[in-house]
């Protein structure tokens, strides 16, 4: 039976001996005979964990970057030389300056590290700029920019294009994966800066309103208001989501609330977590 398999290479935590964790997100995806690396965490830790988990990088078909923040792109140089068949998929705005600016802290550069930019430049024409939805393998869709349709969702933090905090970063580079399985649509998020509900609505419209079986990844609900969290949970109910992998930037309080609302359906996919879904 042909399957979709996830292996979490980097997440904020791990319970598996021999693996390490960092604030970041990286997922190895096996889509039938094709393989993809979705984000790379903030260091080369993803590669160390991949080697311990027996992941074979020579089979790599593509690298997918959900957006341009350091904790999703910092591990790119660890890839070294890309296998001949591999491409990189990224939105152009991932290369924009990115800062976190709050009144009580010094502005932090949270954009793509220079070493990662240099690595991407060396790949030349193998870097594919994604400006619209892209079916990168049959049934596996990269969202492209996600329309912002809900007034209760925002980018989820104090994100700016400048260190002075005068130009808000709309994070239009935020992208997700939508994968059609036998059970329904499986959505893999990076940080869901476009909003997890906006993301589900986008894939629902794009793919003919399929049943949403699972949502995995960072949901960026760390600073979400009670009303936003409630609206998000109502949307999960309306989409009949059966599995919620609340990871990375979802936030402890939000993950606990989701776990309470969806008992038996919500969990944290730590580094080392493996899961599979049957494909049509």
């Amino acid at each position: 039976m042909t399957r979709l398999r996830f292996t979490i290479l980097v997440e904020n935590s791990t319970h598996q001996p021999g693996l390490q964790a960092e604030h970041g997100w990286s997922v190895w995806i096996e889509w039938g005979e094709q393989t993809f690396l979705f984000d790379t965490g903030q260091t080369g830790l993803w590669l160390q964990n991949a080697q311990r988990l027996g992941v074979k990088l020579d089979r790599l078909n593509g690298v997918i970057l959900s957006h341009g923040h350091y904790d999703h792109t910092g591990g790119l140089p660890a890839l070294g030389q890309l296998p001949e068949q591999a491409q990189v998929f990224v939105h152009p705005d991932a290369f924009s300056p990115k800062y976190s600016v709050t009144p009580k802290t010094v502005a932090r550069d949270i954009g793509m590290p220079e070493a990662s930019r240099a690595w991407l430049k060396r790949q030349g024409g193998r870097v594919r700029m994604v400006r619209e939805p892209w079916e990168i393998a049959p049934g596996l869709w990269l969202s492209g920019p996600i329309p912002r349709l809900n007034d209760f969702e925002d980018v989820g933090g104090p994100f700016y294009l400048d260190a002075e905090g005068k130009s808000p970063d709309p994070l239009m580079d935020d992208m997700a994966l939508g994968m059609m399985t036998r059970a329904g649509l499986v959505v893999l998020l990076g940080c869901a800066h476009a909003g997890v509900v906006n993301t589900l609505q986008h894939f629902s419209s794009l793919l003919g309103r399929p049943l949403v079986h699972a949502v995995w990844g960072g949901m960026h609900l760390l600073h979400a208001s009670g009303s936003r969290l409630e609206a998000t949970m109502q949307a999960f109910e309306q989409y009949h989501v059966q599995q919620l992998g609340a990871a990375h930037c979802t936030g402890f309080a939000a993950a606990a609330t989701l776990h309470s609302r969806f008992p038996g359906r919500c969990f944290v996919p730590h580094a080392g977590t493996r899961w599979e879904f049957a494909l049509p």
Side-chain angles (χ1 to χ4, degrees):
M1 182 183 296
T2 306
R3 295 187 179 276
L4 160 65
R5 293 184 175 89
F6 287 161
T7 301
I8 309 303
L9 302 180
V10 168
E11 205 267 336
N12 300 16
S13 58
T14 185
H15 295 165
Q16 187 164 324
L19 301 184
Q20 298 183 59
E22 66 182 10
H23 177 77
W25 183 237
S26 180
V27 184
W28 181 254
I29 302 167
E30 297 172 72
W31 182 260
E33 296 300 315
Q34 298 190 66
T35 62
F36 300 91
L37 180 64
F38 183 78
D39 289 343
T40 65
Q42 61 171 298
T43 70
L45 181 63
W46 71 268
L47 180 58
Q48 298 176 41
N49 285 346
Q51 291 169 341
R52 288 186 176 272
L53 290 164
V55 169
K56 305 298 184 183
L57 292 175
D58 59 342
R59 298 172 49 208
L60 182 66
N61 294 99
V63 179
I64 301 161
L65 300 177
S66 66
H67 62 298
H69 282 159
Y70 74 101
D71 50 333
H72 296 256
T73 63
L76 279 171
L79 274 162
Q81 182 65 38
L82 272 179
E84 184 177 350
Q85 71 277 5
Q87 301 180 80
V88 182
F89 300 88
V90 60
H91 187 278
D93 286 2
F95 298 93
S96 299
K98 295 181 181 297
Y99 293 88
S100 174
V101 184
T102 66
K104 297 182 180 180
T105 60
V106 176
R108 287 193 303 125
D109 183 348
I110 58 172
M112 187 184 300
E114 286 301 322
S116 297
R117 294 172 184 269
W119 184 89
L120 284 166
K121 186 175 182 180
R122 290 196 298 271
Q123 310 315 311
R126 300 169 76 180
V127 177
R128 310 302 295 273
M129 296 297 176
V130 182
R131 297 178 173 87
E132 59 187 7
W134 194 324
E135 190 176 19
I136 60 178
L140 191 157
W141 284 86
L142 182 54
S143 66
I146 297 166
R148 317 298 169 89
L149 303 178
N150 297 306
D151 58 9
F152 64 86
E153 292 190 298
D154 56 33
V155 297
F159 301 119
Y160 294 87
L161 297 169
D162 63 306
E164 293 71 36
K166 295 180 180 179
S167 300
D169 186 355
L171 281 162
M172 294 309 297
D173 47 318
D174 180 80
M175 299 191 294
L177 283 176
M179 294 158 277
M180 295 301 301
T181 73
R182 287 191 183 182
L185 179 66
V186 173
V187 176
L188 182 62
L189 308 166
C191 270
H193 289 297
V196 59
V197 180
N198 281 330
T199 302
L200 295 184
Q201 289 179 332
H202 178 54
F203 279 125
S204 180
S205 176
L206 178 67
L207 301 177
R209 307 191 182 283
L211 177 71
V212 180
H213 177 69
V215 181
W216 283 49
M219 302 181 192
H220 226 287
L221 298 171
L222 181 63
H223 302 296
S225 65
S227 60
R228 175 177 180 177
L229 188 54
E230 176 60 29
T232 300
M233 292 189 294
Q234 288 180 11
F236 289 155
E237 291 171 343
Q238 291 166 4
Y239 280 101
H240 304 288
V241 179
Q242 297 301 303
Q243 188 184 90
L244 289 166
H248 182 42
C249 60
T250 302
F252 176 80
T257 301
L258 290 169
H259 187 272
S260 178
R261 183 72 159 259
F262 302 98
R265 288 189 276 169
C266 182
F267 66 101
V268 176
H270 307 283
T273 298
R274 297 182 189 263
W275 209 276
E276 63 179 43
F277 306 87
L279 294 180

